[in-house]
Structure formats: C-alpha cells, structure tokens
Amino acid sequence: MTTVLIVDDQPLQRYGFRMLLESVPETEVVGEAAHGADAVRKAAELRPDVVLMDVRMPGMDGIEATRRIVAAGERSRVLVLTTFDLDEYVHAALRAGASGFLLKDAHAEELLAGIRAVAAGDAVIAPALTRRILDEFTRYVPARSGDRDEDPRLGSLTDREREILVAIGKGWSNGEIATRFVVTESTVKTHVGRVLAKIGARDRVQAVIFAYDHGLARPNAD
C-alpha cells in the first residue's frame, strides 16, 4: 500500500486525483493540502510515502514546500507535477530535492506508475520525457569553469561507473544501457546503485543533475 498526500490549490484537481488514486487498491490518499505551508505541515504529520505536489500555488509554492519537506529528512518523497509551458520550474524542483516530475495531463496509468516508482525509491521520468525536459533543464545549469574533474566523487568512480553516469545523464533506461554496453540489466542495476552511492545521489534524477553540473552530459548527445 502506497500512501499519498495530494497538494493542489484547485479543489477539482485534488478531487480528480483522489478519485483516480482511490480507484486502485494499492494506493491510499491520506490527506490533501491546498498550499505549500499546509503541505509541509501535513507531510510531517501524516508521513506519506509520496507527496503529489503542484508547483504554482498561492503563498508558499510547491518548490519551497518540496525543499522544506526534503530538508526535514522524513520518509516522504516528492513527485512534482508540471506542464511544458512551466519548464522553468523543473530545474528548481529538482534542485529542491524532488524525486521526479510528471506532466499534469499525464495518462492515469503514467501517474500511477510514477507514484509507484517514486515510492520504491526510483526516478519517475521516462527516458523519452527525460530527454525533452533535459533540453530545457540545461538552460538553467550555470556554466562551469576550470577542471570539471576536481570533485573527489568523480575520482571515486571506476571507468565503467563513469560511463554509466554519462548514460544516466543522457536519460537512458537500464535496458538501453545494457544494450549499449552488452551486459545484463541486473549488472547495470548494480552499477547504477554503486554510482548513486558514490556521488551521494538519492535517485537517477539527482544523478542527472550531477552529470550535467560536471559536464558529463549535454542535451542531444548520442
């Protein structure tokens, strides 16, 4: 059973999400919040597995609420909802510690799968969507100067682990990585786990940020 807190300033939007989530036995809606401050309070009180977070809300927005929920160090993971005309929020949401993001008009199956993925500790972004959004993401990544390999976390990676990190930064799935390097998906999963641990990333989304920040990935790269 995955517990979910729905955060949105639109009552009809919250109602729609609740109806969807309550239609499947594996999810339980434990609460709703209409703004960021209420979301922070209820996340601390209810400790849901997943916080389904809107971005634009009066008062405290979803970005600041995400930052505070993550900083509290509780079990809750945040899945941010966005639209392509609000791509400038994607970078801020990821920086705030969100575990992923989906489009508000995502199909029901995509939303449910995303919630399950985030609850399980994985990133929710599908590879194809990742590439489209990363094109926007890099517009907000400041250029780095000097030696990009100065970070000791990079030095702790083996050559293969660095290759895996580059592939993650490109938005490749485990299956795509396995095919490219001619290894099994279980081997890739092991490598990914080691990479995340060495660079201190909670999930693949944070690994993407790390790869971009250190010049290991760029949009539209093969």
Side-chain angles (χ1 to χ4, degrees):
M1 178 69 69
T2 300
T3 55
V4 181
L5 171 65
I6 300 171
V7 184
D8 198 293
D9 65 327
Q10 298 295 323
L12 284 178
Q13 188 78 68
R14 294 198 305 273
Y15 177 77
F17 287 139
R18 176 179 282 274
M19 291 293 290
L20 170 63
L21 296 178
E22 291 183 342
S23 70
V24 293
E26 64 267 23
T27 59
E28 176 188 2
V29 177
V30 294
E32 298 181 11
H35 53 78
D38 196 23
V40 174
R41 180 179 64 82
K42 288 187 175 178
E45 174 188 339
L46 301 171
R47 300 185 69 204
D49 297 314
V50 177
V51 179
L52 198 60
M53 182 74 74
D54 187 22
V55 173
R56 302 187 74 179
M57 295 180 289
M60 184 188 298
D61 64 17
I63 304 301
E64 180 59 26
T66 295
R67 184 176 295 109
R68 295 191 185 191
I69 290 172
V70 172
E74 297 290 349
R75 58 180 286 178
S76 302
R77 299 174 68 83
V78 181
L79 173 55
V80 172
L81 298 176
T82 186
T83 56
F84 275 126
D85 60 324
L86 294 177
D87 275 331
E88 68 270 20
Y89 289 103
V90 171
H91 176 256
L94 295 178
R95 289 291 182 195
S99 294
F101 48 89
L102 286 176
L103 301 180
K104 268 200 168 185
D105 60 356
H107 295 300
E109 296 80 6
E110 293 175 315
L111 178 59
L112 293 172
I115 290 173
R116 288 193 297 270
V118 168
D122 202 356
V124 28
I125 314 165
L129 182 57
T130 301
R131 294 188 183 106
R132 293 171 65 182
I133 293 180
L134 286 180
D135 287 345
E136 291 294 324
F137 171 80
T138 52
R139 293 169 53 192
Y140 303 95
V141 176
R144 290 174 58 92
S145 58
D147 185 2
R148 286 179 172 142
D149 287 341
E150 291 178 356
D151 194 312
R153 291 172 294 178
L154 282 175
S156 71
L157 299 177
T158 66
D159 290 343
R160 176 45 58 92
E161 288 167 352
R162 181 182 286 256
E163 292 174 337
I164 296 294
L165 177 57
V166 170
I168 293 173
K170 293 177 180 178
W172 293 1
S173 68
N174 283 357
E176 289 173 316
I177 296 173
T179 298
R180 177 62 65 96
F181 296 128
V182 195
V183 295
T184 65
E185 286 196 42
S186 61
T187 297
V188 173
K189 185 174 181 180
T190 298
H191 282 309
V192 170
R194 289 173 179 167
V195 169
L196 297 184
K198 287 184 177 182
I199 67 175
R202 293 178 297 109
D203 51 41
R204 294 173 80 104
V205 174
Q206 298 301 311
V208 167
I209 294 177
F210 185 89
Y212 271 70
D213 279 350
H214 291 79
L216 299 179
R218 284 291 178 263
N220 301 320
D222 294 329

